[in-house]
Amino acid sequence: MSGLNAFLSHFFVTGDPLIYASDVLIVLVSLGIIVTLTYLKKWKWLWREWLTTVDHKRIAIMYLIAAILMLFRGGADAELLRTQLAVPNNSFLTAEHYDQIFTTHGTIMILFMAMPMMFALFNAAVPLQIGARDVAFPYLNAISFWLFFFGCLLFNLSFVIGGSPDGGWTSYPPLTELGFSPGPGENYYILGILISGLGSTATGINFMATILKMRAPGMTLMKLPLFCWSVLSSSIIILFAFPALTVALALLLLDRTMGTDFFTILHGGNPMQFVNLFWVWGHPEVYIVVLPAFGVYSEVVSTFSRKTVFGYKSMVFSLLAITVIGYLTWAHHFFTMGAGASVNTFFAISTMCVGIPTGVKMFNWLFTMFRGRIQFKLPMLWTLAFIPAFAIAGATGIMLAAAPADYQFHNSQFLVAHFHMALIGGVVFGYVAGMYYWWPKLFGFSLDERLGRWAFWLWQIGFYGCFGPQFALGFMGMTRRMYTYPANMGWNTLNLVSTCGAYLMGVAFLFIGAQIVYSILKGKRDVTGDPWDGRTLEWSIPSPPPLYNFAVIPTVQARDEWWRRKQSGEAAQRAAFPAEASLQPIHMPRNSSIPFLVGLSFFVGGFGTVFHWYGMSIVGGVGILLCLLARSLQENVDYYVPVDEIKRTEIHLREGVTHGLHV
Amino acid sequence: MGKGRFLRYARLAIPTLAGTTLLSGCGRQFMVLDPSGPVGTRELHLILLSAGLMAVVIVPALVLFAWILVRYRDKPGNKARFAPNWAENRTLEVIWWGIPIVLIAVIGVFTAKDIYALTKPPEKNVQPLTIDVVSLDWKWLFLYPGQHIATVNYAEIPTGVPVQFVLTSDAPMNSFWVPALGGQVYTMPGMAMKLWLQADKDGDYYGHGANFTGAGFAKMQFDILSRPKADFDQWVTKVQSGTAKLTDAGYARLKKPSNVGEQSYAAFPSGLFNKIVTTDGGKYYTQMNMQDMPGMAN
């Protein structure tokens, strides 16, 4: 009995009131979900319509929900960290707990918030923008989602079972080797990211193929909407960068489970090699997440300035330039690790070079607004806010790239401020703008403007209040990842201001939550399918779009095809009804339960490996193989939507009735 | 309070608040901006140059941004020119491809110059001092190979003399940073890294590990005490005549994870630093890293 007790207290994280509270919340929320679904008899609906879906629009919605939940989790982490740092010598958190929280904060925000939010936008917009019926590989798309979902679940489980990782989100060995981190926390980190990373790689391949092969007739690459160009660039980077992360983490896992010495000094292993592999993924990752945000800005600026985007060719060329130069910068993350002067010089200058195409994009956005008519709707507000934030992030980025200056900035609060300016100002602002922009298309109703404006202004004040002081703290010698600091350093006031800023951003997040709930209940229903007076093809079909997106695949003549049709009067004909003679049965993929089961098998195998329960790992592995086998033997994987049904659906959609799709 | 007025107040309050906070703290606390040696000064000059050149682009861009927002807002009766299809202008695009290229070329040249300069001693006419540094969980061990003394969590250096720190780690990798004297270099197990620093003014300089190494990391603070040459020599003699000696057993105890205060040792086992670097497999790197390392001779 005492053996069992010892096991349980080791297995479940105990002794911390914050974690007990979370345990209670997790149990209550889970019970709440189970009871509600059972009461409303929605289990079958959930399984048939969502868990087994291969429809890119529903996968987008599932990614979006997951991303918002993870923004909450990562944000709660941030509030705890800033609370601990509000005053010197604080004892709100212990060192161990603080270390775990900053590790999970970073990992979750990059891999389990930014990535799924980005994939939500990919899935929501790309097939619709290029006039396609789905992505190139819908079934693989579902597998990608479930790999992400279960990887994320595994990572989050560490909080209550076994203990969170605490080696920093970069997870440098030898700190993360068995000798210094013997517990299961680091295993959770490795396996959670490995599993979700497989999904990310597959998504990159999927969207690259989708954009290259699924474009509507007439849509040449030079007529591709800029968001799709940014997705293509991002997918190219994913394809080349994510395998490096997979390899780095797999080797670290071997070190930790099989006793190899890839990243220990013993037997000639080298921790530097992990640092290299990590940043070969890690720096391009910044461009992976920021390029699609650039794409969103291009769409939004053009739509809400009532103007064609300025310098389209420059915009495309700069995206591709960033894609290539993005690979030549990774060593700037370790200027201070003793690389020779020539290596540091190369990477200093190549890093600065990224600033050139980025600066060009900035001016092109400015001149898209120039001689336009700027409408300050929510997507545009976030886009406008991006410009000063990213100007600061870019300028401080160049300052950091000057290697000798970096010797002073490296690992200081200045760096922390810089990359939060870049990742929040560049990435989060873009994704929020994208969410507001495509929300009516996905759901058929708009998000409330008034609550959204409160969220926006609170966020802006909080954002500068939080990160502005950190630039100064860097100049004052404050290092990142300190859970406490002495009172005599002159850091007190600035830290307090920074914490207040973080709280304001937290309040802003709550406003966004309230905005979503309020809008679900009372939001303005969109019956036009084109609430912003948009320019690209996604606005040419009803919202939410039918399962097959386009009843008739459009033929494209211009970059802003939908705008051209509206200008030339062709749009009016479309609004009536697709000509009956043009309707053909539509070929669609069938739903499948296998992607969910593949994800579940990975989860089971991953959980077993975290605790070195290899029997369980084998069970998970066998599950994966069985899923592969089942799919290989499946013949009934597609079907045709008959013309009659297309006709019924289209008539129904044009009556302004919310279609069953998104009830 | 109306929404408009609230926003106006907010816009005013942020820069004011930021400005006063920055100014109130101006002085010794901004160590990076107020360096006490040639290395930190050189780095500060590069920081100021890069910040200045960036301002050349950023400030006009932000002014332009604000002007565009006001002038081209979509409100009834706005008389500003509206050109919805105007989307190409070669001259403009050449300007904003060109300016950043020129600026980055300038910063690039100065950066390269400084990178190479910082690999050499900042003062060529003075015989440099060598100090071997070992980062441990969670403390800093300083070994003086020339003086045969050792200290923990503090080191004295003579003012005006270039100091070559030779760095390694017998724990997870850390980073050795004394902001008032100049930038940092990592300490890594199995490797011996070089960092030149020099203090031109007497003083106590705050140092801290800059790369996270676990639970005791936040308290991995040390002091570099810069004193006139005569005082330094006197201090060395005083430590040499002390009773505490660092033995192999004492080092093994010191190595165990803990936060400790400042300590001084009258002696340490010869070859200790070399042994630390080559221990646990560091021998695989000796060929690569340890040429012309004066610190390795102890």
Side-chain angles (χ1 to χ4, degrees), chain A residues 166 265-266 268-270 307-308 311 314 336-338 352 363-364 371 373-374 404 407-408 410-411 475-476 483 490, chain B residues 31-32 72 74 78 80-81 83-84 87 93 96-97 104 177 179 183-184 186 189 193 210-212 219 280 284-285:
Chain A
D166 60 359
I265 289 291
L266 273 175
N270 189 345
K307 221 173 137 248
T308 318
S314 253
T336 56
M337 281 193 192
M352 292 174 194
F363 279 100
N364 279 339
R371 293 181 184 164
R373 282 294 175 269
I374 304 166
Y407 302 162
Q408 285 283 35
H410 188 84
N411 275 342
F475 286 126
M476 298 169 97
Y483 83 101
Chain B
M31 296 180 247
V32 173
Y72 295 102
D74 186 33
N78 188 346
R81 191 173 152 197
E93 294 210 64
W96 60 67
W97 275 100
I104 279 166
W177 188 27
Q184 63 200 290
Y186 270 69
M193 319 274 282
N211 189 57
F212 175 68
K219 297 185 171 151
D280 291 341
Y284 292 98
Y285 302 109

Side-chain angles (χ1 to χ4, degrees), chain A residues 95-96 99 102 166-168 172-175 180 265-272 275 305-314 317-318 321 333 336-338 340-342 344-345 348-349 352-353 355-357 359-360 363-364 366-367 369-376 384-385 387-388 391-392 394-395 398-399 401-412 453-454 457 460-461 464 472 474-484 486 488-491 493-494 497 535 559 563, chain B residues 3 6-7 10-11 14 17 21-22 25 29-33 35 40 43-44 46-47 50-51 54-55 57-58 61-62 64-65 67-75 78-89 92-93 96-97 100-101 104 107-112 114-116 118-119 137 170-173 175 177-191 193 206 208-219 221 277 279-285 288:
Chain A
E96 286 79 5
D99 298 345
F102 75 66
D166 60 359
Y172 284 176
L175 180 62
F180 298 102
I265 289 291
L266 273 175
H267 308 121
N270 189 345
M272 274 288 293
V275 179
S305 303
R306 330 287 311 139
K307 221 173 137 248
T308 318
V309 81
F310 191 88
Y312 177 90
K313 285 179 193 154
S314 253
F317 181 74
S318 56
H333 290 271
T336 56
M337 281 193 192
S342 45
N344 277 0
T345 303
I349 292 172
M352 292 174 194
C353 286
I356 299 169
V360 167
F363 279 100
N364 279 339
L366 284 182
F367 276 75
M369 293 187 266
F370 182 75
R371 293 181 184 164
R373 282 294 175 269
I374 304 166
Q375 299 174 319
F376 295 90
L384 296 175
I387 288 180
I392 298 170
I398 302 267
M399 289 167 71
D406 180 69
Y407 302 162
Q408 285 283 35
F409 295 139
H410 188 84
N411 275 342
S412 75
R453 276 169 196 274
W454 274 97
W457 285 108
Q460 293 306 316
I461 299 164
Y464 289 102
F475 286 126
M476 298 169 97
M478 184 171 172
T479 310
R480 75 199 284 208
R481 294 173 174 168
M482 300 175 82
Y483 83 101
T484 184
N488 62 350
M489 300 299 295
W491 301 342
T493 319
L494 289 170
V497 173
R535 310 176 73 87
R559 265 174 210 157
W563 187 255
Chain B
K3 192 168 62 186
F6 167 74
L7 296 180
R11 276 178 214 154
I14 299 164
L17 194 67
T21 345
L22 286 178
Q29 284 164 344
F30 284 84
M31 296 180 247
V32 173
L33 301 179
E43 286 161 351
L44 175 63
L46 188 63
I47 290 171
S50 55
M54 282 301 105
V57 184
I58 299 299
L62 290 181
L64 181 69
F65 172 63
W67 177 76
I68 288 174
L69 283 192
V70 174
R71 183 160 168 84
Y72 295 102
R73 49 177 47 204
D74 186 33
K75 60 172 185 208
N78 188 346
K79 297 240 163 52
R81 191 173 152 197
F82 179 45
N85 296 320
W86 181 73
E88 300 271 343
N89 187 315
L92 284 173
E93 294 210 64
W96 60 67
W97 275 100
I101 291 177
I104 279 166
I107 305 179
V109 168
F110 283 95
T111 299
D114 285 350
I115 290 175
Y116 282 92
L118 288 174
T119 60
D137 269 346
D170 204 0
M173 55 173 84
S175 191
W177 188 27
V178 190
L181 297 184
Q184 63 200 290
V185 161
Y186 270 69
T187 61
M188 298 194 283
M191 321 239 313
M193 319 274 282
Y206 164 87
H208 202 284
N211 189 57
F212 175 68
T213 49
F217 162 75
K219 297 185 171 151
Q221 189 188 326
V277 175
T279 197
D280 291 341
K283 57 180 178 285
Y284 292 98
Y285 302 109
M288 275 159 50

Side-chain angles (χ1 to χ4, degrees), chain A residues 154-277:
Chain A
L154 186 64
F155 185 85
N156 277 280
L157 209 58
S158 67
F159 187 55
V160 288
I161 296 181
S164 297
D166 60 359
W169 86 276
T170 52
S171 187
Y172 284 176
L175 180 62
T176 50
E177 293 278 2
L178 277 182
F180 298 102
S181 302
E186 184 60 26
N187 295 344
Y188 271 118
Y189 169 95
I190 294 172
L191 286 153
I193 297 177
L194 270 181
I195 292 170
S196 68
L198 292 175
S200 302
T201 311
T203 304
I205 295 169
N206 211 340
F207 277 86
M208 196 191 257
T210 302
I211 292 169
L212 292 177
K213 300 300 286 182
M214 306 284 283
R215 278 168 290 137
M219 185 178 273
T220 59
L221 279 176
M222 278 326 231
K223 290 198 181 77
L224 197 60
L226 280 172
F227 178 70
C228 291
W229 262 117
S230 73
V231 173
L232 182 61
S233 314
S234 173
S235 298
I236 293 171
I237 309 180
I238 288 176
L239 194 57
F240 284 93
F242 260 86
L245 178 69
T246 304
V247 167
L249 293 178
L251 294 181
L252 187 58
L253 187 66
L254 287 178
D255 274 11
R256 290 179 58 86
T257 54
M258 302 292 164
T260 56
D261 287 293
F262 287 106
F263 305 130
T264 64
I265 289 291
L266 273 175
H267 308 121
N270 189 345
M272 274 288 293
Q273 201 51 42
F274 180 89
V275 179
N276 263 293
L277 283 169

Side-chain angles (χ1 to χ4, degrees), chain A residues 553-634:
Chain A
I553 296 290
T555 305
V556 176
Q557 294 175 27
R559 265 174 210 157
D560 293 342
E561 172 66 16
W562 176 234
W563 187 255
R564 184 194 67 77
R565 290 190 192 185
K566 284 194 280 194
Q567 297 298 311
S568 69
E570 283 171 55
Q573 298 163 20
R574 186 234 40 117
F577 191 75
E580 203 167 334
S582 62
L583 290 182
Q584 300 274 333
I586 296 173
H587 183 213
M588 295 299 288
R590 257 184 217 289
N591 283 4
S592 169
S593 56
I594 295 175
F596 179 85
L597 296 175
V598 169
L600 189 64
S601 304
F602 266 98
F603 178 79
V604 170
F607 189 78
T609 312
V610 165
F611 287 94
H612 304 277
W613 299 339
Y614 293 114
M616 197 171 168
S617 312
I618 291 168
V619 170
V622 169
I624 296 165
L625 290 176
L626 285 178
C627 287
L628 292 178
L629 189 69
R631 176 67 180 184
S632 310
L633 298 175
Q634 218 168 33

